[in-house]
Amino acid sequence: MTQDRIQIGVIGRPHGVRGLVHVHSFAADADSLASYGTLTDDRGGAWTLTWRADGIALLRDADGKPVDSREAAQALVNRKLFVTRDTLPEPEPDEFYHSDLIGMEAVENGAVIGRIVTVHDYGAGASLELDSGSVIPFTLACVPEVDLASRRVTVSRPNEVVGEEEHASKRDREAARAAGGAA
């Protein structure tokens, strides 16, 4: 099941003493964040933003009152910003909103190995963190199938990301499957 709200950014540290804040945008085009109109946060607040410089914004609350002090800006640090799903375009084939992936069951060789709890993207490519502690590169080779309808992903972890105990178990399952038996 998909969420009605999609996280589109997060409020970062204050910039200066007049209430400006760094805003980390998760949109493909960071500048588009202001075009979504009212953004809601994870504590029930509603905000509009106006970019002042690269990554720095002036926030206004639902009544149009600007955040006007460093202290007020500091109180907003780490608030997650959301838009309603219908505000965003449908993702292209083989593209997914993080919120669609979180909570999905991860299956490898027919066995459930965990649920996706976080999608990381540090710039070199996304990875999926499972509740079991595994981190899987989100590539076609490692995640060949994403089934949104059944809320599960098929994974094939490279040996480098499989622990020694899991690696031996994976080898045993693959050997049994190759021999025609069940693992």
Side-chain angles (χ1 to χ4, degrees), residues 94-98 101 104 116 118-121 124-129 135-146 153-155:
D94 293 330
E95 289 185 357
F96 307 93
Y97 289 120
H98 291 186
L101 298 170
M104 292 182 88
I116 300 169
T118 305
V119 179
H120 298 286
D121 192 344
S127 60
L128 307 175
E129 183 177 338
V135 177
I136 300 162
F138 191 42
T139 63
L140 189 55
C142 294
V143 185
E145 182 181 359
V146 176
V153 295
T154 301
V155 302

Side-chain angles (χ1 to χ4, degrees), residues 3-168:
Q3 298 178 357
D4 291 333
R5 296 187 323 155
I6 305 285
Q7 185 179 357
I8 196 75
V10 64
I11 300 172
R13 70 186 190 281
H15 177 80
V17 296
R18 295 193 177 134
L20 297 177
V21 293
H22 289 264
V23 175
H24 305 282
S25 174
F26 301 154
D29 173 19
D31 291 339
S32 70
L33 198 60
S35 69
Y36 291 120
T38 301
L39 308 173
T40 57
D41 69 28
D42 52 346
R43 297 186 193 161
W47 308 95
T48 57
L49 69 85
T50 305
W51 291 114
R52 293 291 189 221
D54 190 33
I56 299 168
L58 169 68
L59 293 175
R60 295 180 186 277
D61 66 16
D63 297 325
K65 182 180 181 288
V67 175
D68 60 4
S69 72
R70 182 174 186 83
E71 294 75 21
Q74 183 64 42
L76 299 174
V77 170
N78 292 327
R79 292 227 188 154
K80 297 174 182 176
L81 298 172
F82 298 88
V83 295
T84 57
R85 183 178 198 82
D86 60 2
T87 305
L88 299 173
E90 282 300 312
E92 296 292 323
D94 293 330
E95 289 185 357
F96 307 93
Y97 289 120
H98 291 186
S99 62
D100 291 339
L101 298 170
I102 293 172
M104 292 182 88
E105 192 173 64
V107 177
E108 183 175 43
N109 296 319
V112 175
I113 61 168
R115 287 195 179 279
I116 300 169
V117 293
T118 305
V119 179
H120 298 286
D121 192 344
Y122 300 114
S127 60
L128 307 175
E129 183 177 338
L130 305 183
D131 58 3
S132 62
S134 292
V135 177
I136 300 162
F138 191 42
T139 63
L140 189 55
C142 294
V143 185
E145 182 181 359
V146 176
D147 186 342
L148 291 172
S150 66
R151 303 282 302 140
R152 61 191 313 171
V153 295
T154 301
V155 302
S156 177
R157 295 177 289 178
N159 290 336
E160 296 82 14
V161 298
V162 178
E164 184 52 43
E165 220 172 87
E166 287 183 85
H167 185 64

